[in-house]
Structure formats: structure tokens, C-alpha cells
Amino acid sequence: MGDNGRAEAVSDGRTAPDGGGQAAELFRQTFDHWPTGLWAAPGRVNLIGEHTDYNRGLVLPIALPRRTWAAAAGRSDGLVRLVSDQGGAVVEVEAATIAPGRPADWARYPAGVVWALERVGWTVGGLDVAFASDLPIGAGLSSSAAIEGAMAAACSDLCGLGLLADDTGRQQLAQICQQAENDIALAPTGGMDQAASLRALPGHALGLDCADQSVEHVPFDLDPAQLVLLIIDTKVHHALGDGQYGARRADCERAVRELGLDSLRDLALADLDQTLPRLSSQRLRRRTRHVVTEIERVRQAKAALAAADFTGLGRLFNASHQSMRHDYEISCPELDQAQEQALAAGALGARMTGGGFGGSAIALIAAQRAQAAAEAVTAAFAARGWVAPGFITARAAGPAERVG
Ligand code: GLA
């Protein structure tokens, strides 16, 4: 919040025009020569379908214009050297020594991509990479998938793997990135974020079926209805490796075992009420109810978008938020405030998005009301002594690509 106590101006969410140049310049300063090429991969925001990906369910994210750039050049000595505009020293690691949790901190995400590529038999050799990003870190907008996606795109081109050329290759790269995140960065996430960063199309939401990784590109353009999707970054730090995310996954796995299913995807909505009493605790019943109803909400959201029924879409957002707040128990006071204040300011619907426990909420709202909603959320946060939130309007942008 500024000195006058007003909200930050709502950013139009466009990407920095010189982000790639910054990555290239950082590369030159660090490694004393110019990079061979420049790649970029977007963050994402999920419209609906939360904590359904690891239950083989449906999700509906969009790729954001905000992205992470990788300026890179190959090496032949097996060394991986990584530097980031977020500060800190150059991280140097032998590709052969990349292992769970090693290297430390942010570098494990891109290093994990090298590990995952080599594990399935590709030879990366080594490379130097400088990263720059205009994605807020820890805001639930998949800064980790963006750095993985940029690294994967660079590796694919530098090593001649050709995996960016079509959706089949991109699907493979998304899986590589998910393995990097799960096995080296040790965050037990599903595959939604990586798929959005590598497989989404501009102007479309990515209707991903996590049971078979098939995709349906759903047109997503709010301009004709004079609406915007407002991202409200609560600035509450969001980390997926801290146990709560894994605890939700464990609850789902336990429910699946108790019900004798392969996944919660196999439980039909029509059978939900008669099935829930078979579970051993109220907690497992609530978790299961969230997943099964959320998968149905994704189906309904796709239909609402096809019919340009934004009132219906807003209702689904609200139902999704309540389900995450009460059944999945992954919201927090800041996300609830953001949701409630956005609704009070006239949003058609609002919900927390992403993994939960902080990060961002989204609101579907008339373009002309977005700034007033930002003011209302900011005032409510200030009244509670919370850090001022940030605001970005989201557009459906394109996937990871070579940009220079
Ligand atoms: C995080 C994870 C995703 C997904 C969401 C919740 O973003 O990385 O795989 O599980 O949370 O929908």
C-alpha cells in the first residue's frame, strides 16, 4: 500500500518487454560471453479444478503473460551452472551429482530438469543458464513450473531433442518437469502447472484430463463481456514442500484404499452420498467430497465458458472456494477476505487458486469495477494489519517457446 493508504494500481499483467534482454545480459556478465539462445516459459493461474490433478481428475488453467526467461548455452563437460536475477551466487553442479534436494534452494528446480531428462536416457551434457523472471515468487502462480519449463525448453533445443515441436513432445517435457519438481525439488505436486506452462494456447484455457494427459483447448476471452479475471496476490507465502500439501495427497490416497478404487476420479458424483459413509473419518469424507464435486465443477465450467455464461462460471468459482475452505481446508484468513471482499465489490465469483495456504485468489469481475475491488480488498487487509496485497489482471497467453 502506498503512503496515501490506497491500493496498488491493478497491473494489466503484461510481460516485461525487456525480460529476455535482462536474462541475456546477466548471462554475459556472469559467463563472459553471449548465450546461444533465449527461451521463455509462463506461469499459470488455474480457473478451476483444484487438487484434482493428482487424483487423475480435470483441471482448467491458463498460461499467464508473465514468464521466466532462460538465456543458455550448452557445455560438453557435464557441468551445470545456474544464475538468477533474483540474486545469490552462481550455482555450479555436476549433472551426475544432482540428487533429491541437491543442489539447494531455487536451483534444484532447473537442475532437476537435467536429472529427469538424463534419467529417461537423453544426454544433456551440461549447460550455463541465466534466468530472469517477472512472475511474483511464492504467489501461487507457478514460478517453479515456469523456471522448469524455461530450462526444459532450453535443454530440448540445445541438445537437439526437438520436444517443443509438437504437443506430444511438450507433454513429455511437462512430465520431465513434474519429475524434477517431485524427485529433486521434493514438492509432491501433480502435473497441472507444468502442463499449463508447456501445453496451453494463447486465448484458451487448458482443459487437461489428468487421467490420460489429453487436452482440450477451451476458448477464454473475457473482453467481449467487459469482464476481467483479477488475480489478488495475498502475499502470504505459499510453499508446497511444507507438509500440508502432502498431507492432502495422503488423505486422498487413504480414501482411495479404503474405497478399493484406483483413484478418486473413479468415484461418480451420483454415487458420492452413498459412498462417503464407508470412509473411516469425517476428514476423509470431506476431502473426498471436495475432489469429486470439484471435478464436476470443471465440467460445468467448461460448459459455462462455451455458453458465455459468466454468471454460472462465477457461481462455480464460489462453490469451489467454499469446498476448499470447508472440505479440503486449504484456505486461510487472507484468501477468505480476498474472496469475500471481491464479491462484496461486485465480482460474479471469486475463489482461492492453486495449492492453497496463501498465494492468490481470482475474481471474475466487470473491468470497470476491478480497481474498486482492489481498493476494498486492500482496505480490509489494512484494517487487519496484513501486508498490502497485489493485483494483476490475467489473460490467457502462450506456452514455453524459444524467443531469441
Ligand atoms: C499446486 C500444484 C498442482 C496442483 C495445485 C492444486 O499448484 O503444483 O499440481 O495440485 O497446487 O490444484
Side-chain angles (χ1 to χ4, degrees):
M1 190 160 46
D3 287 339
N4 58 5
R6 287 173 60 84
E8 269 181 27
V10 173
S11 154
D12 68 5
R14 257 180 250 167
T15 192
D18 59 343
Q22 281 171 20
E25 184 54 36
L26 177 62
F27 185 101
R28 194 191 60 79
Q29 282 167 13
T30 310
F31 303 120
D32 276 338
H33 61 101
W34 287 103
T36 310
L38 198 55
W39 291 264
R44 66 91 188 93
V45 72
N46 191 18
L47 299 180
I48 198 158
E50 226 63 85
H51 288 261
T52 50
D53 57 357
Y54 54 79
N55 288 300
R56 294 168 61 81
L58 306 175
V59 295
L60 194 61
I62 59 172
L64 292 171
R66 298 281 187 101
R67 49 200 46 222
T68 294
W69 291 267
R75 306 174 60 93
S76 51
D77 59 358
L79 204 59
V80 178
R81 298 194 297 174
L82 305 165
V83 66
S84 155
D85 71 339
Q86 311 287 313
V90 179
V91 176
E92 236 182 75
V93 61
E94 294 272 353
T97 65
I98 299 166
R102 184 191 146 79
D105 303 327
W106 66 272
R108 62 178 67 174
Y109 295 92
V113 171
V114 173
W115 174 87
L117 281 167
E118 298 216 320
R119 203 178 65 142
V120 293
W122 276 299
T123 306
V124 177
L127 68 170
D128 292 335
V129 194
F131 295 100
S133 184
D134 62 7
L135 267 168
I137 310 289
L141 302 179
S142 289
S143 51
S144 55
I147 196 170
E148 291 154 5
M151 182 74 173
C155 288
S156 171
D157 282 354
L158 286 173
C159 306
L161 311 181
L163 295 172
L164 289 175
D166 59 22
D167 188 61
T168 308
R170 285 171 173 272
Q171 181 185 335
Q172 273 176 284
L173 279 183
Q175 270 159 2
I176 293 285
C177 290
Q178 188 191 348
Q179 273 157 19
E181 178 138 354
N182 293 165
D183 296 345
I184 302 301
L186 303 176
T189 54
M192 165 173 71
D193 309 343
Q194 295 79 10
S197 191
L198 282 147
R199 303 178 70 191
L201 293 185
H204 292 75
L206 184 78
L208 174 70
D209 186 332
C210 300
D212 61 7
Q213 302 304 314
S214 61
V215 295
E216 182 190 340
H217 298 286
V218 182
F220 180 75
D221 179 9
L222 300 176
D223 286 352
Q226 295 179 320
L227 294 169
V228 290
L229 189 73
L230 180 66
I231 300 175
I232 306 166
D233 174 6
T234 64
K235 307 270 174 89
V236 176
H237 187 63
H238 141 110
L240 297 176
D242 71 355
Q244 286 290 351
Y245 183 95
R248 295 304 179 281
R249 269 195 94 139
D251 280 349
C252 292
E253 281 157 19
R254 173 135 187 225
V256 160
R257 277 199 305 278
E258 289 188 9
L259 296 174
L261 299 171
D262 285 335
S263 73
L264 288 182
R265 174 69 179 277
D266 297 338
L267 180 50
L269 183 65
D271 298 331
L272 184 63
D273 286 348
Q274 72 203 50
T275 305
L276 288 180
R278 286 171 43 207
L279 288 164
S280 61
S281 72
Q282 280 299 348
R283 194 183 79 223
L284 292 188
R285 285 177 206 131
R286 289 199 303 270
R287 304 293 189 251
T288 302
R289 185 166 54 199
H290 166 72
V291 173
V292 173
T293 58
E294 184 78 353
I295 290 171
E296 177 59 22
R297 282 186 287 273
V298 177
R299 289 196 187 95
Q300 292 181 9
K302 286 197 273 190
L305 275 176
D309 172 12
F310 295 112
T311 309
L313 184 63
R315 270 200 296 270
L316 292 164
F317 278 18
N318 294 337
S320 172
H321 185 83
Q322 295 312 325
S323 181
M324 288 188 282
R325 180 175 179 175
H326 299 294
D327 277 352
Y328 222 61
E329 297 177 284
I330 54 173
S331 191
C332 64
E334 292 84 351
L335 285 168
D336 292 339
Q337 265 304 313
Q339 199 256 354
E340 284 163 20
Q341 294 297 334
L343 288 182
L348 297 179
R351 58 183 286 275
M352 52 150 288
T353 182
F357 311 105
S360 294
I362 49 173
L364 184 63
I365 189 164
Q368 64 184 30
R369 292 196 185 178
Q371 187 63 41
E375 303 289 347
V377 177
T378 302
F381 274 44
R384 289 162 181 78
W386 299 339
V387 171
F391 302 94
I392 305 175
T393 54
R395 287 183 169 278
E401 59 184 347
R402 184 167 189 159
V403 293

